[in-house]
Amino acid sequence: MVKEPSLYSAEKIRTPDDAIRVIAEELATYDREVFAVLNLKTNGQPINLNICSMGTLDASVVSPREVFKSCILSNSAAFIALHNHRRMIKLTY
């Protein structure tokens, strides 16, 4: 643990739309299913984003141990669980 936590973003998270705005670019870069935890301070400011599970093309197995480990080590007051769904591209001939 560190004395002062790192900050993922200066923007405070108050709504689901705020969370999406903060992490959308990050999760869009993955080519497979990802389960992540966004740890928050008491005022809603993101401390860090932890990838708890890197899955396959269409599945991601998540362990509760990995989710809570990130929260405890970050000394977070709250967390938001995030999961991306890779979109299939339909090809037309």
Side-chain angles (χ1 to χ4, degrees):
M1 291 180 56
V2 292
K3 185 176 178 182
E4 293 294 324
S6 60
L7 294 177
Y8 184 77
S9 171
E11 185 176 344
K12 294 180 181 172
I13 307 293
R14 293 190 177 94
T15 66
D17 289 335
D18 292 343
I20 291 169
R21 189 172 38 260
V22 169
I23 56 91
E25 280 187 40
E26 176 74 27
L27 291 184
T29 62
Y30 294 100
D31 64 347
R32 62 198 75 225
E33 297 275 330
V34 172
F35 185 91
V37 171
L38 184 63
N39 292 299
L40 305 173
K41 293 170 65 174
T42 54
N43 65 358
Q45 194 173 22
I47 298 169
N48 56 36
L49 178 70
N50 181 45
I51 304 298
C52 294
S53 173
M54 180 77 67
T56 61
L57 184 62
D58 61 355
S60 183
V61 178
V62 182
S63 167
R65 176 185 302 204
E66 295 303 315
V67 172
F68 292 112
K69 177 181 175 183
S70 168
C71 301
I72 292 167
L73 291 176
S74 299
N75 200 25
S76 64
F79 73 92
I80 298 174
L82 306 154
H83 176 65
N84 70 337
H85 287 282
R86 298 304 311 156
R87 295 183 182 171
M88 293 178 58
I89 300 170
K90 184 177 180 181
L91 298 176
T92 334
Y93 295 98

